[in-house]
Amino acid sequence: MAHRQPILLIDSPSLYFRAYFGIPESAAKTGDGQPVNAVRGFLDMLAQLVRTRRPDRMICALDRDWRPAWRVELLPSYKAHRVAPEGGEVVPDTLSPQVPMILEVLDALGIPAVGADGYEADDVLGTLAVTQPGPVEVVSGDRDLFQLVDDAHPVRLLYVGRGVAKLDDCDDAAVRTRYGVPADRYADFAALRGDPSDGLPGVAGVGEKTAARLIDRYGGLDGILAALDDPRSGFAPGLRAKLDAARDYLAVAPKVVRVATDVPLPELDPALPTSPADPDRLLELAQRWNLAGSCRRLVDALAGDRS
């Protein structure tokens, strides 16, 4: 079924972490003093996205497994620095209780939220991006999702690096301008460059410009590695040595960086509601958690003209 309006695929952890750190706890609490800054900020972000992007569908993706074992098996350093001493991800104590609140409000609104065991929200987004009818707009502050951009489907990344109010609306040309590589080579580029925030060491001495130049010349990691074995390929001796020393890493890193697009997901109805699915429950949650303003703004946005 063709759509004129986009589906918004929301990277929920990306947005609620941003909301948590963007709004002081002192500015958003329940009557008994429980912080709700992440909930309030997340709902306000959704309201603004609905008003400005005018979608007809929306799905919120969740992290069921923020550090999947299959990725760690390939690259043990993957997110290792973010593991709490007692296990699990390092998450602020006052953020964790707010995630179930967000899910309750979404359920009362009738906006689907979905995750999958053994996969990150990125993988859920990747699967939805290729299976949902376009146009698709993925909303995230995660650079790895530039790889999902696909002008043919079409899939765009609404990058929230500067906040929802200053979205970077990225197609393939925008990815090329930003990084010097096409979107379908972003995973290879990221593996070469590395990403300390995810525990990806990259290739020593290879930064963004060198990584982009190598991909432009050799087409991708497969071409780069094949050229390493060709003495006529024109590598500078120092660069050849660095890439050769990183062969084992480069054999697995792209598989870690690449977003899965075959995650088993339940049947979903992504149609954006024009009114809350359970208005009485939404009102009760809004009153209990001091979210009346944010809930009203999102309900008003959902009820607006999206033609």
Side-chain angles (χ1 to χ4, degrees):
M1 177 181 176
H3 290 259
R4 288 190 303 116
Q5 295 162 270
I7 180 171
L8 284 185
L9 303 180
I10 307 296
D11 184 350
S12 301
S14 178
L15 264 60
Y16 63 62
F17 266 93
R18 178 172 294 275
Y20 176 83
F21 289 108
I23 300 175
E25 289 183 8
S26 59
K29 291 188 175 184
T30 63
D32 60 4
Q34 183 176 4
V36 289
N37 52 327
V39 188
R40 185 176 295 180
F42 181 84
L43 296 177
D44 282 343
M45 289 180 189
L46 293 192
Q48 180 157 350
L49 287 164
V50 171
R51 285 195 309 270
T52 58
R53 306 308 299 187
R54 306 172 78 83
D56 63 0
R57 298 157 291 151
M58 178 186 289
I59 300 174
C60 292
L62 305 172
D63 270 338
R64 282 280 180 81
D65 191 341
W66 69 281
R67 190 173 182 250
W70 60 272
R71 283 193 167 105
V72 176
E73 185 176 349
L74 289 167
L75 190 68
S77 66
Y78 183 65
K79 295 185 178 179
H81 61 296
R82 289 157 56 182
V83 177
E86 66 278 9
E89 184 179 15
V90 176
V91 178
D93 291 341
T94 51
L95 171 57
S96 296
Q98 297 188 57
V99 178
M101 294 180 180
I102 290 171
L103 298 182
E104 283 202 57
V105 173
L106 289 175
D107 187 57
L109 286 163
I111 296 173
V114 64
D117 292 340
Y119 293 97
E120 301 176 55
D122 287 8
D123 302 309
V124 175
L125 293 164
T127 300
L128 292 170
V130 301
T131 56
Q132 290 294 315
V136 174
E137 295 184 344
V138 180
V139 184
S140 178
D142 186 343
R143 294 185 300 175
D144 285 342
L145 295 179
F146 281 112
Q147 67 186 278
L148 297 182
V149 171
D150 179 357
D151 289 355
H153 188 46
V155 181
R156 304 174 79 94
L157 177 66
L158 305 182
Y159 185 64
V160 297
R162 299 180 297 163
V164 170
K166 297 180 179 178
L167 290 172
D168 289 326
D169 183 352
C170 298
D171 58 4
D172 191 73
V175 179
R176 290 173 185 265
T177 298
R178 184 185 286 259
Y179 293 112
V181 298
D184 64 0
R185 288 290 176 264
Y186 184 84
D188 286 358
F189 168 81
L192 285 163
R193 176 201 62 198
D195 188 345
S197 67
D198 279 343
L200 292 169
V203 177
V206 173
E208 289 194 352
K209 290 183 179 179
T210 301
R213 189 169 65 249
L214 287 169
I215 288 171
D216 180 62
R217 181 169 183 177
Y218 298 104
L221 265 181
D222 289 343
I224 292 168
L225 292 173
L228 276 180
D229 296 322
D230 182 356
R232 301 165 297 174
S233 57
F235 284 108
L239 180 57
R240 182 189 293 273
K242 291 172 183 175
L243 291 166
D244 194 52
R247 278 181 187 268
D248 290 345
Y249 162 76
L250 291 175
V252 298
K255 301 172 189 175
V256 174
V257 177
R258 286 189 191 111
V259 170
T261 56
D262 58 353
V263 176
L265 297 174
E267 287 292 323
L268 297 166
D269 179 5
L272 199 63
T274 56
S275 60
D278 190 339
D280 292 338
R281 181 167 168 232
L282 181 64
L283 179 60
E284 188 274 323
L285 295 175
Q287 292 174 338
R288 187 200 315 172
W289 292 328
N290 193 22
L291 297 170
S294 294
C295 288
R296 183 176 61 253
R297 286 187 286 274
L298 182 48
V299 169
D300 288 349
L302 294 172
D305 180 11
R306 297 194 293 272
S307 61

